[in-house]
Amino acid sequence: MTGPGPQAPTGAPNPADDQKKESTRVTVLITGTRLYGEGDPVDVLIDGEVIAEIAPAGTLGRDEPGREVIEAAGTVLLPGLVDIHTHLREPGREDTETIDSGSAAAARGGYTAVFAMANTDPVADNAVVTDHVWHRGQEVGLVDVHPVGAVTKGLKGAELAEMGVMASSAGRVKVFSDDGHCVDDPLIMKRAMEYAKGLGVLIAQHAEEPRLTVGAVAHDGPNAARLGLAGWPRVAEESIVVRDALLARDIGTRVHICHASTAGTVELLRWAKSQGIDVTAEVTPHHLMLDDSRLETYDGVFRVNPPLREASDAVALRQALAEGIVDCVATDHAPHADQEKSCEFALARPGMLGLETAVSVIAETMVSSGLLDWRGVAKVMSERPAEIVGLADQGRPLEVGEPANLAVIDPDATWTVAGPELASVSDNTPFEGLELPGRVRATLLRGRPTSVDGEVRHR
Ligand code: NCD
Ligand code: ZN
């Protein structure tokens, strides 16, 4: 212990102490925002980790000692966003992203929880790695970083990883995925789903039949043919989607489909859901916004798995997200170094940044187009993802007493995306130079502002 030793009790409590306590109590007041972008503007007071009061705009005291005021007239208040598919590259590729830099990107993007995929080096196929990711995320303190555990050892698809150990250790792994690779062996997938059922955890499948994608770098369509790029057919994804839905049906469990990318996948999901099969799916912002006409320039920044498809697929995916056939948005934030992107297209590493641009891309593709209102955005970017992975404290209603995991968004502000200005170590955004609507003004994690006007607030 440091500082002065214990003092002799003085009897009556010292009023000066009380006052000091009062004056250092930190509260946050968000003024003039609209809950889900609906109704009249309100002031929202956050005390400690929870929403303490919601009152008509201009009625809550701004000048209390220790009170931080976030001027939020014209903004939309949403529950903090939840990304169930992100790559933070730590351990192993800290030259492209770290848990620290990725957390900063998440906070700036409005996120309060992210799920870090297992394709790190070493692979997160054991509790030493998954616990490290969890503890490091908590230490950074900008966003809850939930580790995803690998389904199979080394992501090799042959032998199941120790899912039970990861599920019950400190990181409490709730989602398992070999993402980057497909669990293609049907017997291994069946066993993994049976174990997952017993453990009450989720398997998230990167749906790609590898025998159909050998050497593939682009969507198998007219564009790839014209550009001379090896094609990745839709059936490579769809055949696994339907197989895994049928496995879920027969086992009586659930399965989640990562980054749905084709109109056919949408139809299969529609069918599976109509049969009562417990299959959920995510779509990335880039698959909603971009198509394979971007490949014209052979710029490696547009290489991604699954590949950018045709415009008609993007249209089907937007519609499916609006209808709830595709359940949620997930970024598949995938940082890569310059030298891994600025090379021949076929040699470029697949993957794109996503955390800081997601809300804006959704504002552009889903809100501006009238497919979703902001309440709908709360559903697909916070509530549904939290539900799918089983997070009790995220995606909660904006009500008094609820945990203050919040995103304050200015729907009218526009900004121009510039890779070097993003918090990520890497710059590989496919939206470079694009003007997008919707700026995240502030993000709060359990009542603490983690990002305000682009400035990241480390603890
Ligand atoms: C991801 C990556 O870089 O780790 N790449 C990608 O193109 N999406 C892996 C993945 O999500 O499949
Ligand atoms: Zn993937």
Side-chain angles (χ1 to χ4, degrees):
M1 231 169 117
T2 56
Q7 280 163 15
T10 55
N14 182 346
D17 281 356
D18 268 5
Q19 213 180 348
K20 195 170 160 217
K21 237 185 258 160
E22 266 312 291
S23 67
T24 51
R25 182 170 192 93
V26 180
T27 54
V28 179
L29 183 68
I30 303 172
T31 61
T33 188
R34 291 165 72 231
L35 309 182
Y36 308 100
E38 296 169 351
D40 293 329
V42 293
D43 290 350
V44 177
L45 179 67
I46 292 108
D47 190 352
E49 300 191 352
V50 300
I51 299 174
E53 214 176 328
I54 301 175
T59 60
L60 294 185
R62 310 164 56 94
D63 301 324
E64 314 297 318
R67 178 156 298 178
E68 171 167 6
V69 177
I70 298 175
E71 309 283 354
T75 66
V76 168
L77 188 68
L78 298 187
L81 309 180
V82 176
D83 188 13
I84 65 174
H85 187 150
T86 188
H87 299 271
L88 298 186
R89 306 297 190 217
E90 181 179 341
R93 285 305 305 272
E94 291 85 351
D95 60 314
T96 61
E97 194 78 294
T98 63
I99 291 171
D100 194 327
S101 64
S103 293
R108 287 179 52 157
Y111 287 92
T112 48
V114 300
F115 281 69
M117 279 296 173
N119 63 339
T120 49
D121 183 11
V123 171
D125 60 3
N126 63 80
V128 174
V129 179
T130 56
D131 285 353
H132 164 76
V133 170
W134 169 251
H135 288 307
R136 182 69 195 125
Q138 290 301 297
E139 211 169 80
V140 172
L142 294 172
V143 59
D144 286 341
V145 179
H146 294 276
V148 174
V151 175
T152 68
K153 290 186 182 161
L155 308 175
K156 292 189 190 318
E159 216 183 318
L160 289 186
E162 290 187 344
M163 293 164 56
V165 179
M166 290 185 265
S168 59
S169 73
R172 299 267 157 212
V173 177
K174 297 166 181 61
V175 181
F176 291 86
S177 180
D178 274 3
D179 184 58
H181 302 267
C182 183
V183 183
D184 60 318
D185 182 325
L187 194 54
I188 296 283
M189 187 58 176
K190 178 168 177 282
R191 285 205 194 115
M193 286 167 71
E194 286 163 350
Y195 272 104
K197 183 184 182 184
L199 292 167
V201 296
L202 181 70
I203 304 276
Q205 175 71 293
H206 167 119
E208 174 188 356
E209 168 49 61
R211 297 288 296 139
L212 294 174
T213 59
V214 177
V217 298
H219 166 65
D220 192 18
N223 269 320
R226 197 165 40 82
L227 298 170
L229 298 171
W232 168 317
R234 293 187 180 94
V235 61
E237 172 170 313
E238 294 158 0
S239 57
I240 297 292
V241 170
V242 75
R243 183 202 75 179
D244 289 356
L246 294 172
L247 282 173
R249 180 194 66 185
D250 288 357
I251 298 166
T253 188
R254 60 203 187 113
V255 70
H256 179 78
I257 303 298
C258 296
H259 40 50
S261 74
T262 76
T265 289
V266 168
E267 286 321 302
L268 293 168
L269 290 168
R270 191 189 305 279
W271 171 81
K273 289 186 180 209
S274 78
Q275 300 297 300
I277 299 171
D278 200 352
V279 54
T280 54
E282 68 194 33
V283 62
T284 70
H286 48 267
H287 287 110
L288 291 170
M289 177 129 165
L290 307 174
D291 61 58
D292 69 346
S293 63
R294 300 279 164 158
L295 274 43
E296 205 69 36
T297 57
Y298 293 96
D299 186 340
V301 82
F302 295 111
R303 183 162 177 214
V304 67
N305 290 346
L308 298 177
R309 302 285 183 183
E310 295 179 33
S312 54
D313 294 284
V315 169
L317 289 164
R318 292 181 193 190
Q319 194 60 45
L321 184 64
E323 280 179 60
I325 296 296
V326 167
D327 298 78
C328 67
V329 173
T331 67
D332 192 9
H333 178 83
H336 290 295
D338 275 351
Q339 71 272 16
E340 294 168 325
K341 280 296 196 182
S342 309
C343 54
E344 196 184 315
F345 187 84
L347 298 178
R349 294 284 289 265
M352 306 171 160
L353 297 187
L355 284 168
E356 282 184 68
T357 46
V359 135
S360 299
V361 173
I362 297 310
E364 170 86 7
T365 55
M366 301 300 292
V367 183
S368 301
S369 66
L371 284 167
L372 283 182
D373 55 15
W374 285 99
R375 190 173 278 270
V377 174
K379 184 167 171 208
V380 300
M381 296 189 80
S382 178
E383 294 162 9
R384 274 303 278 152
E387 223 166 67
I388 289 168
V389 296
L391 287 185
D393 61 337
Q394 299 281 346
R396 299 291 306 164
L398 299 174
E399 289 169 9
V400 170
E402 291 288 350
N405 295 315
L406 302 169
V408 183
I409 296 159
D410 184 343
D412 300 321
T414 58
W415 63 295
T416 302
V417 181
E421 286 167 22
L422 302 175
S424 283
V425 175
S426 300
D427 295 341
N428 57 307
T429 172
F431 306 111
E432 181 72 35
L434 223 60
E435 189 181 85
L436 292 174
R439 272 240 92 156
V440 177
R441 287 282 320 282
T443 308
L444 285 83
L445 176 65
R446 285 184 286 280
R448 200 177 70 78
T450 52
S451 161
V452 179
D453 290 326
E455 179 212 329
V456 174
R457 304 251 193 102
H458 280 88
R459 247 199 305 248

